[in-house]
Amino acid sequence: MKIGIIKERKNPPDRRVVLTPKECKRLLRKFSDLVIKVESSNNRFFTDDDYIIEGIDVVDDVSDCDVLLGVKEVPIDFLIPNKKYFFFSHTIKKQQYNRKLLQAILSKNIELYDHEVIVNEKNQRLVAFGRYAGIVGAYNGFRAYGLKFNLYNLPKAEELHDQLMLIHELQKLKLPNIKVVLTGKGRVGNGAKEMLKGMGMKKVSVNDFLHKTFNEPVYVQIDVLDYNKRKDGDVKDEIDFFTNPTEYKSDFMRFAKVADLYIAGHFYGTGAPYIFTRNDARSKDFNIKVVADISCDVDGPVASTIRSSTIENPIYGYNPELEKEVDYRDENAIAVMAVDNLPCELPKDASEGFGESFAKHVIPAFFNNDEDGVLNRAKMTSNGKLTKRFNYLQDFIDGK
């Protein structure tokens, strides 16, 4: 069983990797039939030498490997026919910009396993970078707040080594008595919460957040039933919300009236109400001045997110009256941080966490005949065709 870790060739280059040097070494000890080769790269966080020190082969050509592991999309010209590939293809939602990629994967008879669809029987993801998006997104939110109001200047996350250094920077801040609202209690939301907790910010209840004033900065972490309510006034459970999202309307405005900084770490499901609309943002009661939109659905549930931003230029301004982009320092602007590849700023921690999950849930499947069906569920293409689970993409491939 030969696994090749491929060089990331998408621009700008991603510094993350699926398996770190130490994870490779652990796997080689565990599975005697396993061979791992690493394609030489000059832009990974973990260098060629880091792998060589752990006894891992670093090579210029991985075409003799059976399975090839990457993070981002592989450029079409670099796809090797008749191989098994693992990477984020960004095609499962019929993303137009990657249609040609999926067509090429089929024409080259590649077996594609998308990281995003590596799930258990309950359809819960087994490998993901979400926690690290939350960690970096929360940090970037506070960085944006400091720049917006000229209070302090945090270094960029990508300039720091790991999560501990990010927390250390946040602990130095002398914040005014702001209120921070965080949506989401999944991987992303809880990653953000780690940062709020790490910096020593006080957590308060929904009721206290809405009705009390504090002489220190505080935050509240809220879930779907806190910021949505049924249109008919009935109070039901989360299952009802996920089953009948169209029966609900947003109740986020009560938080927007008192919050200063909003960290969006929720998952947004189709048919659910928008969290706040352009009309809401225009209201004189809307108090939020900085939005760190980790979820980053453009023109979606967070009205101020009119485009994604970049690691290089992470913040832009949204003027609610004009409904257009302005300088984020403008007094009428909401400062928006909507970087859509946040884990890239924390390549060490993100690679370690992802690799641990991949080694635990995916690699054993190659040696136990896929007894839990992990590979079967994640396989998008086989023998030049879509697999049954992904047949819904056929019209997308055909350009319909």
Side-chain angles (χ1 to χ4, degrees):
M1 176 74 199
K2 275 189 191 173
I3 288 179
I5 294 170
I6 56 178
K7 176 179 177 172
E8 295 295 324
R9 290 183 165 87
K10 191 178 176 183
N11 258 334
D14 198 302
R15 300 180 66 219
R16 294 171 294 173
V17 69
V18 176
L19 295 173
T20 65
K22 285 195 161 51
E23 202 59 66
C24 289
K25 190 178 181 179
R26 276 196 283 271
L27 286 168
L28 291 171
R29 278 200 196 126
K30 191 173 176 184
F31 300 104
S32 55
D33 294 344
L34 179 62
V35 173
I36 298 177
K37 293 187 174 184
V38 177
E39 187 175 7
S40 178
S41 168
N42 55 4
N43 53 32
R44 279 191 199 107
F45 177 85
F46 296 99
T47 64
D48 289 357
D49 285 346
D50 290 336
Y51 283 95
I52 291 164
I53 287 164
E54 297 296 349
I56 315 299
D57 279 349
V58 175
V59 296
D60 290 322
D61 181 7
V62 287
S63 59
D64 63 332
C65 295
D66 314 297
V67 179
L68 298 169
L69 308 180
V71 178
K72 287 283 181 69
E73 301 100 310
V74 177
I76 290 168
D77 292 346
F78 289 94
L79 286 168
I80 306 170
N82 310 313
K83 297 289 181 189
K84 292 177 166 69
Y85 270 94
F86 284 76
F87 57 83
F88 286 105
S89 70
H90 298 117
T91 56
I92 62 169
K93 294 177 187 167
K94 303 186 179 183
Q95 289 97 319
Q96 294 295 333
Y97 60 93
N98 277 334
R99 177 191 281 139
K100 286 197 170 102
L101 173 65
L102 195 49
Q103 288 169 337
I105 283 164
L106 292 169
S107 71
K108 290 176 188 252
N109 190 35
I110 285 166
E111 246 179 54
L112 172 65
Y113 299 80
D114 191 306
H115 295 308
E116 209 169 332
V117 291
I118 298 173
V119 294
N120 62 17
E121 312 81 55
K122 294 178 183 168
N123 219 28
Q124 294 161 325
R125 286 181 66 181
L126 296 172
V127 295
F129 284 111
R131 177 186 164 215
Y132 303 94
I135 288 167
V136 178
Y139 178 87
N140 283 2
F142 286 104
R143 183 172 179 271
Y145 192 88
L147 291 169
K148 162 86 175 159
F149 295 108
N150 206 18
L151 291 173
Y152 50 81
N153 196 344
L154 283 172
K156 280 190 164 186
E158 63 173 346
E159 294 165 16
L160 302 170
H161 186 67
D162 56 16
Q163 182 188 12
L164 283 175
M165 284 184 76
L166 265 62
I167 289 173
H168 183 63
E169 289 295 330
L170 293 179
Q171 285 171 341
K172 296 179 195 170
L173 300 182
K174 295 275 186 284
L175 285 167
N177 303 334
I178 59 170
K179 286 184 171 181
V180 180
V181 59
L182 164 64
T183 48
K185 291 193 173 177
R187 278 193 181 97
V188 176
N190 286 332
K193 183 188 176 182
E194 284 179 42
M195 301 303 282
L196 296 164
K197 196 175 171 184
M199 67 192 284
M201 189 176 284
K202 181 177 180 171
K203 185 183 184 186
V204 297
S205 69
V206 168
N207 198 48
D208 285 357
F209 188 88
L210 295 174
H211 303 295
K212 288 188 179 175
T213 51
F214 296 88
N215 53 9
E216 63 183 309
V218 299
Y219 80 95
V220 67
Q221 184 182 21
I222 56 176
D223 215 345
V224 286
L225 294 185
D226 296 312
Y227 59 89
N228 293 293
K229 60 182 178 183
R230 276 187 68 96
K231 292 171 183 172
D232 62 11
D234 272 9
V235 177
K236 297 195 177 180
D237 57 13
E238 276 188 8
I239 295 166
D240 181 65
F241 173 78
F242 293 121
T243 314
N244 309 299
T246 54
E247 299 299 312
Y248 284 76
K249 61 181 180 179
S250 172
D251 196 20
F252 183 74
M253 202 59 191
R254 60 191 186 135
F255 295 95
K257 284 176 181 174
V258 296
D260 303 281
L261 166 59
Y262 170 32
I263 301 172
H266 56 271
F267 169 79
Y268 177 73
T270 312
Y274 278 2
I275 294 173
F276 70 85
T277 63
R278 293 185 173 195
N279 276 341
D280 293 333
R282 210 179 288 123
S283 161
K284 62 180 188 336
D285 290 334
F286 194 89
N287 189 61
I288 294 167
K289 295 292 183 289
V290 177
V291 174
D293 189 357
I294 304 167
S295 301
C296 194
D297 294 303
V298 175
D299 287 329
V302 177
S304 50
T305 303
I306 51 175
R307 66 170 174 88
S308 56
S309 56
T310 61
I311 291 170
E312 196 181 352
N313 295 302
I315 312 161
Y316 60 87
Y318 171 73
N319 182 308
E321 285 299 327
L322 305 174
E323 292 189 8
K324 69 175 195 185
E325 185 173 331
V326 294
D327 186 327
Y328 71 85
R329 292 181 190 86
D330 186 306
E331 65 172 341
N332 298 316
I334 297 169
V336 180
M337 187 295 302
V339 174
D340 61 2
N341 57 343
L342 288 162
C344 296
E345 293 195 67
L346 206 61
K348 176 185 177 287
D349 290 10
S351 298
E352 286 170 351
F354 190 88
E356 214 172 281
S357 302
F358 197 89
K360 180 181 174 184
H361 296 293
V362 183
I363 301 292
F366 288 112
F367 296 94
N368 65 19
N369 209 18
D370 194 24
E371 62 183 27
D372 297 321
V374 171
L375 298 177
N376 190 44
R377 283 188 292 274
K379 190 196 291 183
M380 288 180 64
T381 60
S382 183
N383 300 319
K385 292 187 174 68
L386 291 165
T387 58
K388 190 177 173 186
R389 189 178 169 98
F390 296 94
N391 262 341
Y392 72 91
L393 292 169
Q394 191 61 54
D395 62 345
F396 166 65
I397 287 165
D398 296 340
K400 290 176 186 168

